[in-house]
Amino acid sequence: MKRIDAFVTGGTGFIGRWLLPELTGGGRRVAVLLRDNPDGRHRLAELWEWVEARGGRSDLLHGLAGDLTRDDLGMDPADLALARTASQVFHLGAAMSFGLPAEQARQVNVRGSERVAELAASGSSLDRLVLVSGFQHRRSSKLATSRYHDSKLTADARVRDIAEATGVPLTRVHPASVTGDSRTGQTSQFWGWPDLVQALHRGRLPIVPGVRDHRLPLVAVDHLAKFLAGAPELAETAGGQYWLLHDTPPLADLLRIVADELGVATPRLRVPIPLAAMSLQAGLDRWTGISAEALTFLTAQDLPVAEARRVESTLGLTQPDVAELARVTARFLADHGFRPAAS
């Protein structure tokens, strides 16, 4: 490839694997950043198969060795020059886990995002930088801190500042808890929402965290991928930010739907978030398998979804049935033992 249409970080990750077929299937030439290690070629070959199986084109997909934690993203001069020809840059790469070490959160999520924004600003024909940001909402200071959550919000602010200073057209997307495919439930992410489903499945979820209005907003990964691929094609999304989530019922109702699907009992005792966090921090997390950090994704707020809904309508995207989404995702997780398939 002498030039590309899109440069993607996090292309081998959960969301990125669904985004690449959308981009290449639409004819876009894509370079994806791959961590420079001995497994790189195997990962690219496996990624080609994944993309082809989902309607994408592997002949339009090119791997670039690099690393978010290094200057110039660790790319050699030729690869760096190729990345700078992209008209669209998608930054999805991040370190994602509960208990994330502080230095890893800083180097990967914050500094890595700054490096991607700086690369985008140096591009020769950039039309859009798309940032997959944190799910921003106000949360109680009594909750356990989450380095993942906080580092994503810090990265969002840093990228916004760089974009404003350099004139980079930026689109920020704040996805809710990302579930599996809306049709099959297929997922390669087994923390967060899957932790709750697993605890319920094992009979180790004795409480419903939060009061009546608390929700764990969900968004299907295929819906998110279509939104990410389509949004930068619209001039109106330059400078915009979008909270992407489906109309998810309160957590108690969502857990009841999943429990019925899995044939297990539904917890009935609601516990306020601060007390639930204290219980998990005191040792309940080891029994349930749920980190107190997971509670940072619960909210009772009405989130500003109107702008995202307008873009979804323009792109022809429809909301999936959330009850069915919860059921198929729960069934996929249970059928696969709540862990990734061996590669």
Side-chain angles (χ1 to χ4, degrees):
M1 288 185 181
K2 293 183 179 180
R3 63 176 296 111
I4 55 174
D5 299 303
F7 174 66
V8 179
T9 71
T12 61
F14 176 41
I15 301 169
R17 293 172 73 87
W18 264 266
L19 175 61
L20 295 178
E22 294 293 333
L23 296 177
T24 59
R28 278 175 266 188
R29 296 161 297 180
V30 179
V32 58
L33 187 71
L34 297 173
R35 190 171 300 167
D36 189 9
N37 59 35
D39 191 40
R41 288 188 179 182
H42 168 75
R43 292 171 67 203
L44 184 58
E46 190 271 336
L47 196 60
W48 282 338
E49 293 180 6
W50 169 277
V51 166
E52 288 283 348
R54 284 154 186 83
R57 290 179 55 183
S58 62
D59 62 307
L60 297 180
L61 185 62
H62 185 68
L64 301 179
D67 192 324
L68 289 173
T69 66
R70 295 165 59 190
D71 291 341
D72 290 331
L73 301 180
M75 291 188 286
D76 66 34
D79 285 350
L80 185 62
L82 179 63
R84 285 174 170 154
T85 68
S87 58
Q88 297 173 349
V89 173
F90 296 84
H91 181 40
L92 286 68
M96 301 176 62
S97 70
F98 295 134
L100 190 64
E103 183 60 15
Q104 186 180 12
R106 187 182 74 83
Q107 281 294 336
V108 179
N109 294 353
V110 180
R111 284 291 295 123
S113 296
E114 291 174 335
R115 292 181 178 105
V116 173
E118 290 161 359
L119 180 143
S122 69
S124 58
S125 56
L126 183 75
D127 179 63
R128 194 68 55 86
L129 168 59
V130 179
L131 173 68
V132 176
S133 184
F135 188 56
Q136 297 191 25
H137 64 90
R138 298 182 305 276
R139 59 189 179 88
S140 169
S141 60
K142 296 180 181 178
L143 288 178
T145 58
S146 170
R147 290 196 185 106
Y148 167 71
H149 182 276
D150 293 346
S151 66
K152 290 290 286 183
L153 301 192
T154 299
D156 179 271
R158 299 279 180 82
V159 170
R160 185 182 66 240
D161 289 346
I162 292 170
E164 289 177 353
T166 59
V168 166
L170 173 65
T171 299
R172 296 146 62 206
V173 179
H174 309 289
S177 295
V178 185
T179 72
D181 182 89
S182 62
R183 298 150 297 185
T184 66
Q186 183 175 5
T187 182
S188 57
Q189 181 168 289
F190 291 80
W191 69 283
W193 160 245
D195 289 331
L196 274 173
V197 177
Q198 183 173 20
L200 187 65
H201 185 252
R202 297 169 65 197
R204 293 191 175 186
L205 188 64
I207 62 172
V208 179
V211 296
R212 182 66 182 89
D213 292 334
H214 271 97
R215 293 170 294 135
L216 179 65
L218 303 177
V219 62
V221 68
D222 54 313
H223 185 94
L224 173 57
K226 288 180 172 62
F227 187 96
L228 292 173
E233 299 291 287
L234 305 176
E236 68 195 71
T237 61
Q241 62 173 329
Y242 303 95
W243 278 261
L244 209 62
L245 61 148
H246 304 314
D247 293 325
T248 310
L251 181 58
D253 296 337
L254 189 66
L255 291 175
R256 187 176 305 111
I257 291 168
V258 172
D260 289 346
E261 173 66 24
L262 299 179
V264 297
T266 305
R268 299 183 181 276
L269 178 64
R270 293 192 182 94
V271 175
I273 295 292
L275 182 56
M278 290 173 59
S279 299
L280 290 170
Q281 291 168 327
L284 190 61
D285 57 338
R286 292 190 293 274
W287 184 69
T288 62
I290 299 172
S291 169
E293 289 186 47
L295 303 183
T296 61
F297 294 94
L298 296 176
T299 182
Q301 299 171 35
D302 289 327
L303 295 160
V305 299
E307 292 298 324
R309 292 287 189 266
R310 277 194 280 272
V311 173
E312 288 169 330
S313 177
T314 301
L315 296 175
L317 299 180
T318 57
Q319 296 289 321
D321 180 272
V322 176
E324 182 62 18
L325 173 63
R327 282 191 286 265
V328 297
T329 300
R331 178 51 56 196
F332 181 91
L333 291 167
D335 289 348
H336 290 79
F338 296 91
R339 56 182 179 270
S343 57

